[in-house]
């Protein structure tokens, strides 16, 4: 696959670059350039990112960073079984637990929410940093919702991190997931309050909380001009703000994979 000339491979994280030092210099450069393309395209063009990840995987399948990148690219394309295999491989190579939440979310993607809940209660969770533990909580709540256990999902999300006034990288997604669960349970007044809190903390637009809040407030949008007559028509092109699920639990939240016990 073509790679722009300005992509040198030096753009990758220093830890990944260090991993690639085990490869011959020219091969390491080729792998690095493909990994850069995966990172650049993962959000805007997941299919293309997946293609670059397969090239990197073909060149250096014994490098943990390559297996991890391939896992995220597969995950972004909803290839959950493939993502599962890559995340497992990366974890075997590194011994790290940081992929545990996205692996559990993959279990959800494969239709196994019970397995995701088992992973949420595993000892590995205690080894995660705060961000990882919050991510695991989001995945567990999503699994509860998959099983139709709305009240349990709401309780799962109730945590010191949710109650805190401090804004952290995970705050908006956690508040959004809580608001969405409340709304699904018919608790609209509380849901509106938490969507508003999600908007306040969503500094980089990682959720569509503002759209969900507008929808609850009955805000509608109209096309400015009618193409035929050049004037606004009442009822023409009117639609409510779209409601969509901004929680990836995976999601990434969020990242979906699973681990053999």
């Amino acid at each position: 696959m073509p790679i722009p000339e300005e992509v040198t491979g030096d753009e990758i994280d220093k830890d990944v670059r260090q991993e690639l030092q085990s490869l011959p210099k020219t091969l390491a450069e080729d792998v690095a350039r493909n990994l850069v393309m995966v990172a650049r395209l993962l959000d805007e063009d997941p299919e293309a990112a997946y293609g670059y990840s397969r090239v990197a995987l073909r060149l250096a399948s014994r490098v943990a960073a390559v297996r991890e990148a391939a896992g995220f690219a597969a995950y972004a394309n909803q290839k959950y079984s493939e993502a599962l295999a890559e995340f497992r491989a990366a974890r075997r190579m590194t011994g790290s637990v940081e992929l545990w939440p996205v692996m559990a979310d993959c279990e959800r993607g494969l239709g196994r929410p019970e397995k995701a809940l088992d992973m949420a209660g595993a000892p590995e969770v205690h080894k995660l940093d705060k961000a990882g533990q919050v991510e695991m909580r989001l995945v567990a709540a999503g699994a509860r919702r998959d099983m139709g256990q709305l009240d349990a999902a709401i309780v799962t999300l109730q945590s010191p991190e949710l109650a805190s006034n401090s804004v952290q990288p995970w705050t908006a997604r956690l508040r959004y997931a809580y608001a969405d669960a409340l709304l699904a349970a018919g608790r609209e007044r509380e849901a509106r309050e938490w969507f508003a809190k999600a908007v306040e903390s969503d500094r980089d637009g990682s959720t569509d909380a503002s759209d969900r809040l507008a929808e609850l407030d009955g805000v509608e949008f109209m096309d400015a001009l009618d193409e035929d007559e050049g004037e606004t028509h009442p009822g023409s092109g009117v639609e409510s703000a779209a409601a969509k699920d901004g929680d990836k639990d995976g999601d990434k939240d969020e990242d979906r994979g699973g681990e053999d016990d």
Side-chain angles (χ1 to χ4, degrees):
M1 298 181 67
I3 298 177
E5 290 184 6
E6 65 269 18
V7 175
T8 65
D10 292 335
E11 302 89 341
I12 62 172
D13 182 85
K14 63 179 181 180
D15 292 334
V16 177
R17 188 181 301 114
Q18 187 172 357
E19 277 194 66
L20 296 179
Q21 288 179 357
S22 62
L23 303 174
K25 187 174 185 298
T26 301
L27 179 59
E29 290 175 354
D30 288 343
V31 174
R33 294 180 74 210
N34 278 280
L35 292 180
V36 170
M37 295 305 296
V38 173
R40 286 188 176 184
L41 296 171
L42 195 59
D43 291 331
E44 63 184 59
D45 191 349
E47 188 173 351
Y50 178 77
Y52 285 106
S53 77
R54 300 308 295 177
V55 174
L57 191 60
R58 188 168 63 249
L59 294 173
S61 62
R62 296 185 180 183
V63 176
V66 171
R67 303 304 290 266
E68 183 175 330
F72 279 114
Y75 176 83
N77 284 275
Q78 299 183 3
K79 299 177 183 290
Y80 300 124
S81 181
E82 189 175 319
L84 169 62
E86 299 303 339
F87 288 138
R88 283 175 172 172
R91 185 167 184 270
R92 282 196 299 268
M93 292 175 179
T94 64
S96 172
V97 298
E98 68 177 28
L99 291 172
W100 197 253
V102 66
M103 291 162 65
D105 201 39
C106 268
E107 294 290 359
R108 290 184 57 212
L110 291 168
R112 300 194 292 251
E114 297 89 352
K115 174 64 174 176
L117 288 176
D118 287 345
M119 293 179 69
E124 284 82 355
V125 175
H126 300 295
K127 300 176 184 178
L128 294 168
D129 61 13
K130 180 62 69 175
Q133 290 178 5
V134 171
E135 199 66 37
M136 192 72 248
R137 189 178 293 276
L138 287 167
V139 173
R144 290 292 186 188
R145 292 190 63 173
D146 293 342
M147 300 167 68
Q149 300 173 2
L150 276 175
D151 290 341
I154 291 170
V155 171
T156 297
L157 293 168
Q158 292 170 345
S159 62
E161 294 80 17
L162 180 68
S164 174
N165 291 323
S166 173
V167 175
Q168 302 294 335
W170 59 76
T171 302
R173 293 179 58 241
L174 184 59
R175 291 175 175 178
Y176 183 99
Y178 189 58
D180 195 50
L182 288 169
L183 187 61
R187 295 162 62 174
E188 185 172 316
R189 183 186 60 79
E190 294 170 87
R192 191 205 176 282
E193 175 187 348
W194 282 96
F195 275 127
K197 290 182 177 181
V199 171
E200 292 173 2
S201 57
D202 194 359
R203 296 169 178 172
D204 59 359
S206 62
T207 74
D208 66 343
S210 59
D211 289 345
R212 301 295 299 276
L213 183 61
E215 181 184 20
L216 286 174
D217 288 343
V219 175
E220 295 183 332
F221 302 98
M222 297 182 65
D223 291 336
L225 296 174
D226 180 270
E227 290 183 356
D228 294 329
E229 299 183 21
E231 60 181 293
T232 302
H233 267 276
S236 174
V238 178
E239 58 184 12
S240 298
K244 62 181 180 180
D245 183 4
D247 174 19
K248 300 297 180 187
D249 293 326
D251 164 323
K252 176 174 9 94
D253 279 239
E254 323 20 193
D255 316 302
R256 288 186 188 248
E259 174 80 358
D260 285 333
D261 294 330

